[in-house]
Amino acid sequence: MKRKAIILAIYAVLILIIIGIILSLVQEDFNGNTLLKGAIAMAACISALVKLHSGGAGTRRSAEFYEREYSREIAGAFSKPDESSLRKKLLYAIGLYNQERYEKALRTLKELLPHCQDQDDFCAVLLFTALVYSDMGLTDAAIQTYRDYLNHNKNSSTVWSNLGLLFKEQGKSQEALSCFDAALKLDPENAYAHNNISTTKFALGDYEGAIQSAKRALELKSNLYQASNMLCILYRILGNTEESEKYYNLSIANGANAQALQAALEHYSASAGVMEA
């Protein structure tokens, strides 16, 4: 996981700092300035490790924060007077998920599942379980969990859209498009579903359909840089430099990674061959 990789990298840096200090001592090249620099670097590494191991580094939030942030997803979950401890446990699991502590989040959510009594309980627990599985790269488990969710409630546009993305990852484009269509029937203004349709149509070679869906996504959510990325790439492939540049600038202004987008442009331009405008 990303968090574990960061921790390992910091440990490696810390070890290198210690080795450097030891070598300075052995080579009699050790002075007060070396000690100060080494101490500062070690303190920074140790501080970062403490934050990461405790779920810190700006990721620790109160239960109230998660209750506000996910108010729609957990609206009626464990809301009975005698279920306050279960609701707190759900919020704790959501916090673990946001801190990328996936294994512990999954264990906590599985402990909650036997206590679910009504639709709201099941949907909240199953939604976050599916999200955890998805972020862990366990696509089949995530798909099954979303299907379990839909057995309790078929009216979540977000869940249909998320499920479609997982099918798209597996190369099942038609199943993905069916899910996105279901998402839009429930919420025609789901910008993410429109964007997901755009990327799926792009993968199928339907460039005009992809452009149409990406533009609709941007109409609904003007700062959705994933959609402007798609348009930037599509117009570059089609040889329309002016439009490609316009959407490139829009993406960067909305927070897209300039290097990643440039690399994507180069990749798709080379692999597909830029068409004449």
Side-chain angles (χ1 to χ4, degrees):
M1 301 304 161
K2 187 190 298 182
R3 182 170 170 273
K4 287 184 178 178
I6 293 171
I7 290 173
L8 289 172
I10 295 172
Y11 271 121
V13 171
L14 186 58
I15 290 168
L16 288 173
I17 292 168
I18 294 169
I19 291 172
I21 292 173
I22 293 171
L23 287 174
S24 295
L25 284 168
V26 171
Q27 296 170 4
E28 298 182 351
D29 188 29
F30 191 77
N31 54 46
N33 191 42
T34 303
L35 176 62
L36 178 60
K37 288 180 179 179
I40 291 171
M42 286 178 65
C45 288
I46 292 168
S47 175
L49 286 169
V50 168
K51 286 180 179 180
L52 284 164
H53 279 302
S54 65
T59 61
R60 290 187 70 81
R61 306 279 188 171
S62 66
E64 290 78 10
F65 170 83
Y66 293 117
E67 192 149 27
R68 290 193 306 271
E69 189 73 6
Y70 296 102
S71 58
R72 184 178 65 177
E73 290 84 355
I74 63 173
F78 303 114
S79 57
K80 299 180 181 66
D82 61 342
E83 293 181 326
S84 60
S85 62
L86 294 173
R87 188 169 180 86
K88 286 179 182 177
K89 193 167 186 175
L90 173 62
L91 294 170
Y92 175 63
I94 294 171
L96 292 170
Y97 163 69
N98 277 269
Q99 294 163 22
E100 298 183 8
R101 298 167 68 183
Y102 299 131
E103 291 86 356
K104 193 167 185 179
L106 190 58
R107 286 198 303 271
T108 306
L109 290 163
K110 285 183 176 181
E111 289 169 4
L112 278 169
L113 197 55
H115 298 283
C116 294
Q117 296 183 39
D118 56 30
Q119 176 178 295
D120 288 338
D121 298 345
F122 279 106
C123 287
V125 172
L126 291 170
L127 172 61
F128 284 98
T129 301
L131 290 171
V132 171
Y133 277 135
S134 182
D135 283 4
M136 290 176 75
L138 301 173
T139 303
D140 288 336
I143 287 173
Q144 184 56 55
T145 305
Y146 278 130
R147 283 174 167 159
D148 292 342
Y149 179 108
L150 293 169
N151 286 334
H152 295 280
N153 177 16
K154 288 184 169 59
N155 298 318
S156 171
S157 179
T158 299
V159 167
W160 279 110
S161 185
N162 289 356
L163 181 58
L165 271 179
L166 295 173
F167 282 130
K168 180 178 177 290
E169 285 179 15
Q170 293 185 330
K172 299 175 180 177
S173 298
Q174 294 307 319
E175 290 92 331
L177 288 172
S178 295
C179 289
F180 299 143
D181 286 342
L184 290 179
K185 284 178 183 176
L186 292 165
D187 180 8
E189 297 189 353
N190 184 334
Y192 295 100
H194 284 287
N195 182 64
N196 293 338
I197 289 173
S198 175
T199 59
T200 306
K201 287 184 175 180
F202 172 75
L204 292 170
D206 179 6
Y207 292 166
E208 291 304 320
I211 287 173
Q212 183 179 357
S213 294
K215 285 185 174 180
R216 180 57 180 150
L218 277 178
E219 287 174 6
L220 295 166
K221 189 173 176 61
S222 60
N223 64 346
L224 187 61
Y225 67 77
Q226 293 88 341
S228 50
N229 282 356
M230 190 78 269
L231 288 165
C232 173
I233 292 167
L234 281 160
Y235 281 118
R236 174 67 67 87
I237 291 172
L238 293 172
N240 191 331
T241 306
E242 185 177 348
E243 285 295 289
S244 179
E245 185 72 18
K246 180 179 82 172
Y247 286 109
Y248 178 90
N249 292 332
L250 179 61
S251 284
I252 302 309
N254 286 324
N257 184 304
Q259 282 187 314
L261 180 53
Q262 189 60 46
L265 284 169
E266 292 171 4
H267 168 76
Y268 286 112
S269 296
S271 62
V274 177
M275 303 176 185
E276 293 297 327

